Amino acid sequence: MKLTDIILLSLSVVLTIIGVHQSMNFGIQNSYFIFMFTIALLLYYFYRKKQHEEMEDDEPPGTGKGKNKNG
């Protein structure tokens, strides 16, 4: 997991907590944009994750990237 992925996931968790707090204090109408931004970050995280997995699957064997069988 790269640093960008960790930041995206952490930011989405923090924004979810902030959104819940704002919803309890001011109502869901006032925190709607926070939840939408959270969902956008999560979708972008899953898109990056899937793209990374596809790149690993398309990589030909013996390129040096991946698990080393010798140890």
Side-chain angles (χ1 to χ4, degrees), residues 4 9 12-14 18 20-26 28-30 32-33 43 50 52-53 55 59-60 66-67 69:
T4 308
L9 194 58
S12 65
V13 169
V14 168
I18 291 172
V20 169
H21 178 265
Q22 293 294 316
S23 292
M24 290 192 307
N25 288 333
F26 304 110
I28 192 76
Q29 296 86 6
N30 294 326
Y32 181 74
F33 72 95
L43 287 174
K50 183 172 178 154
H52 180 69
E53 289 174 355
M55 287 176 58
E59 191 173 286
K67 295 182 180 178
K69 292 182 180 179

Side-chain angles (χ1 to χ4, degrees), residues 2 15 17 19 25 27 36-37 40 48-50 52 60 65-66 69:
K2 293 187 177 184
L15 285 176
I17 294 169
N25 288 333
M36 289 299 106
F37 192 62
R48 286 177 51 92
K49 184 177 175 182
K50 183 172 178 154
H52 180 69
K65 296 180 181 178
K69 292 182 180 179

Side-chain angles (χ1 to χ4, degrees), residues 36-60:
M36 289 299 106
F37 192 62
T38 301
I39 291 171
L41 287 175
L42 283 173
L43 287 174
Y44 185 56
Y45 167 75
F46 286 120
Y47 172 76
R48 286 177 51 92
K49 184 177 175 182
K50 183 172 178 154
Q51 193 175 34
H52 180 69
E53 289 174 355
E54 287 177 358
M55 287 176 58
E56 285 181 350
D57 291 341
D58 292 341
E59 191 173 286

